[in-house]
Amino acid sequence: MGEKRRYVIRPEDAESGWPVAERCARALRQACERLKRDGGAPVEVVIGEYRRQRSLEQNRLYWAAYVRPLADHCGVAPMEMHRYLKWQFLEPVLVVDPFTGEILREGEPTTTGLTTAEFNQYLEMISAMAAEQGVHLPTAGEHAATYGWPEPEAEAT
């Protein structure tokens, strides 16, 4: 199989007879037939609520209009500023002992799993913090229309 295929089924698909769901079911049937016939690696099927992930445009904007200006203002490397911002505004990844349930340590927070709305909220928090320090940064809302992102409160997470 090799490549991954992702299907997003939306409520409006019902009006046209669920064509995306049918393509998804057809791909699953083909994968099962291939497994039965040829064996090979298992196939992963995950069904859950769709969460629009942070876009590459958002990430580029983050580095150019948020991280770099703050890093320059503070006289630190951009990666150092990025790390600071993640620890300041995001939840750490917890490493838990599977036998005892004890939290062993906190891992570095990450922006990669944020939805577009969550990422907008992250940018808004950074802008507010920067303003308190006398550094003007754009608000996420100033870029939402340009890049087609939802306003911070517009997308359910």
Side-chain angles (χ1 to χ4, degrees):
M1 180 157 197
E3 96 248 7
K4 290 186 177 188
R5 288 185 246 164
R6 183 178 181 154
Y7 300 90
V8 178
I9 302 168
R10 294 180 169 79
E12 58 268 21
D13 291 340
E15 296 171 14
S16 55
W18 300 105
V20 176
E22 290 173 6
R23 284 196 308 275
C24 179
R26 189 170 32 256
L28 179 58
R29 213 178 303 69
Q30 290 169 350
C32 290
E33 289 169 3
R34 197 170 23 260
L35 276 176
K36 186 177 180 182
R37 183 183 63 241
D38 304 332
V43 174
E44 178 182 34
V45 177
V46 178
I47 297 177
E49 188 173 324
Y50 175 69
R51 291 172 36 109
R52 187 173 169 200
Q53 293 301 118
R54 171 204 72 183
S55 69
L56 293 176
E57 291 86 6
Q58 275 181 312
N59 196 49
R60 281 192 290 273
L61 175 74
Y62 168 66
W63 284 93
Y66 293 77
V67 174
R68 190 163 307 282
L70 284 171
D72 290 347
H73 178 78
C74 294
V76 299
M79 186 55 80
E80 189 176 340
M81 180 56 66
H82 172 58
R83 270 208 163 113
Y84 167 78
L85 293 170
K86 290 188 304 180
W87 279 104
Q88 186 71 21
F89 298 112
L90 299 177
E91 292 294 321
V93 176
L94 299 179
V95 179
V96 178
D97 183 322
F99 298 101
T100 66
E102 175 188 1
I103 296 173
L104 300 175
R105 67 185 172 119
E106 292 185 348
E108 186 166 337
T110 180
T111 62
T112 57
L114 298 178
T115 65
T116 55
E118 291 166 341
F119 201 81
N120 276 350
Q121 291 169 344
Y122 176 59
L123 297 180
E124 293 293 342
M125 289 185 288
I126 294 169
S127 289
M129 180 269 310
E132 290 174 6
Q133 300 299 320
V135 180
H136 173 74
L137 298 178
T139 64
E142 290 172 357
H143 299 285
T146 304
Y147 293 103
W149 309 325
E151 291 294 329
E153 65 281 349
E155 184 177 300
T157 55

